[in-house]
Amino acid sequence: MNLKAWRLRVYPSGGVFLSRLIIRGNMKPLKGKVKISGSKNSTLPIMAASIMANEEVILTGVPDLEDINVMAEALRILGARVQREKDVLIIDGKSVSKCELPESISRKMRASNLVMGALLGRFKEAKVAYPGGCAIGSRPMDLHVKGFVSLGYEINEEAGYMEGKANHIKGTEILLDFPSVGATENIMMAASMTPGITIIRNAAREPEIVDLQNFLNCMGARIRGAGLDTIRIEGVDYLGGVQHTVIPDRIEAGTFMVAAAITRGEIYIENVIIEHVQPVIAKLKEMGTEIFPCSMGLRVTGNKNLRATDIKTMPYPGFPTDMQPQITALLATVKGTSVVVETIFENRFMHVQELRRMGADIKVEGRVAIIKGKKNLQGALVQATDLRAGAALVLAALAAAGESEIEQVYHIDRGYENLHVKLKNLGADIERR
């Protein structure tokens, strides 16, 4: 395949996509201020829940991302009216007329499965194709199905679809085998309009769960306990309109914290909830990064003599799996040997092969990566294999000598709003072609 053909990419939505990032790093310290966008992982379930309302919902602080566009397309297919103006999204679910989401849209994004809980909650029936998303490991729907069945919904799985219908539905107790974020969100939505009281035990505790609870409660739901491992839901008959501002994106904030560390720069990070990034703060401080709260949020200063450390990803409030690729890139530039253990997704080391192209000394054994840091990485032609892997490659390129070219940028577009623009404003030598 010639270079021109190799660069030709097809967007998940079907369009031709040619963009790539050119980064000339040379360990140029990044300096300045950056404002964090609204949380992708909070906006998506809230968008799904919006169709449960019989009135107009207004969301503010919504990031301009490909995944958000795909979810908006999914809601329109169901019959909702969705309008956008800058960072404001207006969703009117009164006109929802379908309870089926086809494969053509579901395969574009993992979070498409969240409309299942919303449709079951409001209409007591749903048919949704199995979702797509980043190929970072097995993310089965069994916990979602277990929750729906426990609530009294009859679920049939065949030909790539999940179909659910109400069958003696009522509140119940549900114990999740693993604190799955998606399953917790889906069950919360379905249970919020299921008669009786539902208790979810071993629930996910992520901040995005809390944001979804706050949103649903403002619409009239009766939910408490989000942020803890037990959530209590009292079903209601009606949910109304609301205006809601989504929380800042803690993974974007963490990515810029690592950007300061890997370039040994100084970045003021605005619009960040410090509590949400404490696991990242703790590890970066352990490595020698200076981090101080300020009126704007956080000031992060990279130290020239950062040291190696060990990382183990865990469900919140542990170190987030969505920050593992970025921290791996940083550790590749730090003197000493570090060990990274990935406990969430079995395929979340796909960025390692690309980092090796840049000279990183990383050995992977199963779910463990052993990283021997070195002073200099080298620019190279690499590919973003998924969203967070793409972010890791951008960070590595900022610290690498010479020029790097990152292909398959559409992965990065799924979760970072104008990443190259924000980095350029901090002094990075970066362009998009």
Side-chain angles (χ1 to χ4, degrees), residues 31 48 69 84 108 131 135 145 210 225 244 248 257 259 262-264 288 290 307 317 322 336 351 393 408 429:
K31 295 183 181 294
N69 295 335
R84 177 166 195 142
K108 296 179 184 178
V145 172
V210 179
H244 179 82
M257 291 166 67
I262 203 168
T263 65
R264 293 14 175 207
E290 297 178 6
R307 49 190 174 270
D322 278 357
H351 52 287
L393 295 177
Q408 298 185 354
D429 187 349

Coordinates of all heavy atoms in Angstrom, one line a residue, residues 31 48 69 84 108 131 135 145 210 225 244 248 257 259 262-264 288 290 307 317 322 336 351 393 408 429:
K31 N 3.9 25.8 28.7 CA 3.6 26.8 29.7 C 2.3 27.5 29.4 O 2.0 27.8 28.2 CB 4.7 27.8 29.8 CG 6.0 27.1 30.4 CD 7.1 28.2 30.5 CE 8.4 27.6 31.0 NZ 8.3 27.0 32.3
A48 N -28.4 10.1 27.0 CA -29.3 9.0 26.9 C -30.5 9.1 27.9 O -31.6 8.9 27.5 CB -28.6 7.7 27.2
N69 N -21.5 13.6 19.0 CA -22.2 13.7 17.7 C -22.9 12.4 17.4 O -24.1 12.3 16.9 CB -21.3 14.1 16.6 CG -20.7 15.5 16.7 OD1 -21.3 16.3 17.4 ND2 -19.5 15.7 16.1
R84 N -27.9 22.0 18.8 CA -26.7 22.4 19.5 C -26.4 23.8 19.2 O -26.5 24.2 18.0 CB -25.5 21.5 19.1 CG -24.2 21.9 19.8 CD -23.2 20.9 19.7 NE -22.1 21.3 20.6 CZ -21.4 20.5 21.4 NH1 -21.6 19.2 21.4 NH2 -20.5 20.9 22.2
K108 N -20.8 2.3 16.3 CA -19.9 3.4 16.2 C -19.4 3.8 17.6 O -18.4 4.5 17.7 CB -20.6 4.6 15.6 CG -21.0 4.4 14.2 CD -21.7 5.7 13.7 CE -22.2 5.5 12.2 NZ -22.9 6.7 11.8
P131 N -23.0 -2.8 21.1 CA -22.3 -1.6 20.8 C -20.9 -1.9 20.3 O -20.3 -3.0 20.5 CB -22.2 -0.9 22.2 CG -22.2 -2.0 23.2 CD -23.1 -3.1 22.6
A135 N -11.3 -1.0 20.8 CA -11.0 -2.4 21.0 C -10.0 -2.6 22.1 O -8.9 -3.1 21.9 CB -10.6 -3.1 19.7
V145 N -27.6 -7.0 31.5 CA -28.7 -7.9 31.4 C -29.2 -8.5 32.7 O -30.4 -8.5 33.0 CB -28.3 -9.1 30.4 CG1 -29.4 -10.2 30.4 CG2 -28.0 -8.6 29.0
V210 N -22.3 10.0 39.9 CA -22.9 11.1 40.8 C -23.5 12.1 39.9 O -24.6 12.6 40.2 CB -21.8 11.7 41.7 CG1 -22.4 12.8 42.5 CG2 -21.1 10.7 42.5
G225 N -27.1 7.9 47.1 CA -26.1 6.9 47.3 C -25.0 6.9 46.3 O -24.0 6.2 46.4
H244 N -29.0 21.5 33.1 CA -27.9 20.8 33.9 C -26.6 21.1 33.2 O -26.5 21.1 32.0 CB -28.2 19.3 33.9 CG -27.1 18.6 34.7 ND1 -27.1 18.4 36.0 CD2 -26.0 17.9 34.2 CE1 -26.1 17.7 36.4 NE2 -25.4 17.4 35.3
P248 N -16.6 18.8 34.8 CA -15.4 18.8 33.9 C -14.9 17.4 33.7 O -15.1 16.5 34.5 CB -14.4 19.6 34.8 CG -15.2 20.3 35.8 CD -16.4 19.5 36.0
M257 N -2.2 17.3 33.0 CA -1.3 17.2 34.1 C 0.0 16.4 33.7 O 1.1 16.8 34.0 CB -1.9 16.5 35.3 CG -3.0 17.3 35.9 SD -4.1 16.4 37.1 CE -2.9 16.0 38.4
A259 N 1.0 16.1 30.6 CA 1.6 16.9 29.6 C 2.6 17.9 30.2 O 3.7 18.1 29.7 CB 0.6 17.7 28.8
I262 N 5.6 15.6 31.5 CA 6.4 14.9 30.5 C 7.3 15.9 29.7 O 8.4 15.6 29.2 CB 5.6 14.1 29.5 CG1 6.4 13.0 28.8 CG2 4.9 15.0 28.5 CD1 5.6 12.0 28.0
T263 N 6.8 17.2 29.7 CA 7.6 18.3 29.0 C 8.4 19.1 30.0 O 9.1 20.0 29.6 CB 6.7 19.2 28.2 OG1 5.9 19.9 29.1 CG2 5.9 18.5 27.1
R264 N 8.3 18.7 31.3 CA 8.9 19.4 32.4 C 8.5 20.9 32.3 O 9.3 21.8 32.5 CB 10.4 19.3 32.4 CG 11.1 18.0 32.6 CD 10.3 16.7 32.6 NE 11.1 15.5 32.8 CZ 10.7 14.3 32.3 NH1 9.6 14.2 31.7 NH2 11.5 13.3 32.5
G288 N 7.6 13.1 41.7 CA 8.3 14.3 41.9 C 7.7 15.5 41.2 O 8.3 16.6 41.2
E290 N 5.4 18.7 40.9 CA 4.9 19.7 41.9 C 3.4 20.1 41.5 O 3.2 20.5 40.3 CB 5.7 20.9 41.9 CG 7.1 20.7 42.5 CD 8.0 21.9 42.5 OE1 7.5 23.0 42.2 OE2 9.2 21.8 42.7
R307 N 11.1 10.6 39.0 CA 11.5 9.2 39.3 C 10.5 8.2 39.0 O 9.3 8.5 38.9 CB 11.9 9.1 40.8 CG 10.9 9.7 41.8 CD 11.4 9.8 43.2 NE 10.4 10.4 44.1 CZ 10.4 11.7 44.3 NH1 11.3 12.5 43.7 NH2 9.5 12.3 45.1
P317 N -12.3 4.8 43.6 CA -11.3 5.9 43.5 C -9.8 5.5 43.3 O -8.9 6.2 43.7 CB -11.4 6.6 44.9 CG -11.8 5.5 45.8 CD -12.6 4.5 45.0
D322 N -8.3 4.8 32.2 CA -8.3 5.7 31.1 C -7.1 6.6 31.2 O -6.8 7.4 30.2 CB -9.6 6.6 31.1 CG -10.8 5.9 30.5 OD1 -10.6 4.8 30.0 OD2 -11.9 6.5 30.5
G336 N 14.9 5.0 35.7 CA 14.5 3.9 36.6 C 13.5 3.0 35.9 O 13.1 3.2 34.8
H351 N -0.9 0.6 22.9 CA -0.1 1.8 22.6 C 1.4 1.5 22.8 O 2.3 2.2 22.3 CB -0.5 2.9 23.6 CG -0.5 2.5 25.0 ND1 -1.5 1.7 25.6 CD2 0.4 2.7 26.1 CE1 -1.3 1.5 26.8 NE2 -0.1 2.1 27.2
L393 N 0.3 8.8 22.7 CA 1.3 9.0 21.7 C 1.6 10.5 21.5 O 2.7 11.0 21.2 CB 0.8 8.4 20.4 CG 0.7 6.9 20.3 CD1 0.1 6.4 19.0 CD2 2.0 6.3 20.6
Q408 N -4.6 8.2 12.3 CA -5.8 7.8 12.9 C -6.3 8.7 14.0 O -6.7 8.3 15.1 CB -5.7 6.3 13.4 CG -5.5 5.4 12.2 CD -5.5 3.9 12.6 OE1 -5.6 3.6 13.8 NE2 -5.4 3.0 11.7
D429 N 4.8 22.7 19.5 CA 4.9 22.8 18.0 C 4.1 21.7 17.4 O 4.6 20.6 17.2 CB 6.4 22.7 17.7 CG 6.7 23.0 16.2 OD1 5.7 23.1 15.4 OD2 7.9 23.1 15.8

